[in-house]
Amino acid sequence: MESKYLQKCLGTCLIQGLAEVARIRPVDPIEYLGLWIYKYKENMTMEQLRRKEMADLEHERELAVIEREMMERLKAEELLFQQQQLAFQLELEMQEKERQRIEELRRTQEELEKKMRMNTENIAKSEDSSHSEDVTSDASKTLAEISDRYGAPNLSRVEELDEPMLSDVALNIDQDL
């Protein structure tokens, strides 16, 4: 039972300490072994702290990598969002420009239609006024005076021909023979 206790508590430490005493061969091996065991305990405590610190550092490093990846994803999403917003704004601007262009075309078309209506009304008014002038002046003229105008048919000049007209049937019969 005592050997199990010594193996469990001092096994590794005692074996390493005795190996060190055998290698160095100090003048007082018992004192050297005692000091070495104290230093061994201090070294083991320091090794445990170093391992714990290394584990903590590794954990923090993993967290930092995860946080960096998350930040990169957030930046990528933000960039994508900004691009989408920019595209949306450009689309809105294009729609606004198209709407303004259509509105301008509609106004131009309305102005042209208004001018055409005004021109048509002016022409109609001028024709009405000239026609009314013609009517007032024509009312005092005789039929012969009105018919002497340019482009009016002159009935006195129409001549009738006394030639007998052949019917189309008679012409077709002559051609067949």
Side-chain angles (χ1 to χ4, degrees):
M1 180 152 185
E2 294 167 0
S3 64
K4 287 183 182 179
Y5 170 76
L6 287 177
Q7 271 184 340
K8 180 182 169 194
C9 294
L10 296 173
T12 309
C13 170
L14 195 54
I15 291 171
Q16 289 177 358
L18 289 174
E20 187 69 21
V21 168
R23 188 175 65 84
I24 299 222
R25 296 183 188 256
V27 177
D28 189 4
I30 294 173
E31 185 181 342
Y32 183 84
L33 183 62
L35 291 174
W36 190 90
I37 289 174
Y38 279 123
K39 183 68 175 167
Y40 179 82
K41 172 68 174 159
E42 195 177 298
N43 288 342
M44 293 317 284
T45 305
M46 292 300 284
E47 181 65 24
Q48 286 176 350
L49 284 173
R50 189 182 64 76
R51 285 184 186 156
K52 185 177 183 283
E53 285 177 4
M54 290 301 286
D56 290 345
L57 284 174
E58 185 62 33
H59 181 69
E60 287 177 14
R61 189 176 299 129
E62 289 173 0
L63 289 176
V65 167
I66 290 171
E67 185 177 349
R68 184 180 59 207
E69 289 174 354
M70 187 181 302
M71 290 301 288
E72 288 174 356
R73 274 189 250 130
L74 285 174
K75 285 180 182 178
E77 287 177 8
E78 184 178 344
L79 181 63
L80 180 64
F81 180 72
Q82 288 174 351
Q83 289 174 346
Q84 288 174 343
Q85 270 203 314
L86 182 62
F88 182 70
Q89 286 176 346
L90 288 174
E91 180 67 27
L92 286 177
E93 287 175 9
M94 292 296 289
Q95 288 176 354
E96 181 64 22
K97 286 180 182 178
E98 182 67 20
R99 186 190 62 75
Q100 288 175 352
R101 187 182 67 81
I102 290 172
E103 183 67 26
E104 186 177 319
L105 285 173
R106 185 185 60 78
R107 275 184 270 173
T108 306
Q109 185 177 8
E110 287 176 356
E111 288 175 9
L112 287 174
E113 288 175 356
K114 193 174 186 180
K115 286 180 182 178
M116 287 177 62
R117 272 187 261 129
M118 288 175 63
N119 286 341
T120 307
E121 290 172 0
N122 288 341
I123 291 171
K125 286 180 182 178
S126 66
E127 285 179 357
D128 286 344
S129 64
S130 67
H131 181 66
S132 63
E133 289 174 4
D134 287 346
V135 167
T136 56
S137 65
D138 287 348
S140 62
K141 293 183 180 178
T142 63
L143 186 60
E145 291 174 339
I146 294 173
S147 64
D148 284 342
R149 278 193 294 168
Y150 176 77
N154 190 347
L155 298 176
S156 61
R157 295 188 205 155
V158 176
E159 298 177 12
E160 290 187 25
L161 298 175
D162 290 335
E163 296 179 11
M165 291 193 55
L166 296 175
S167 67
D168 291 337
V169 176
L171 288 174
N172 285 339
I173 292 174
D174 289 339
Q175 288 178 356
D176 291 338
L177 295 174

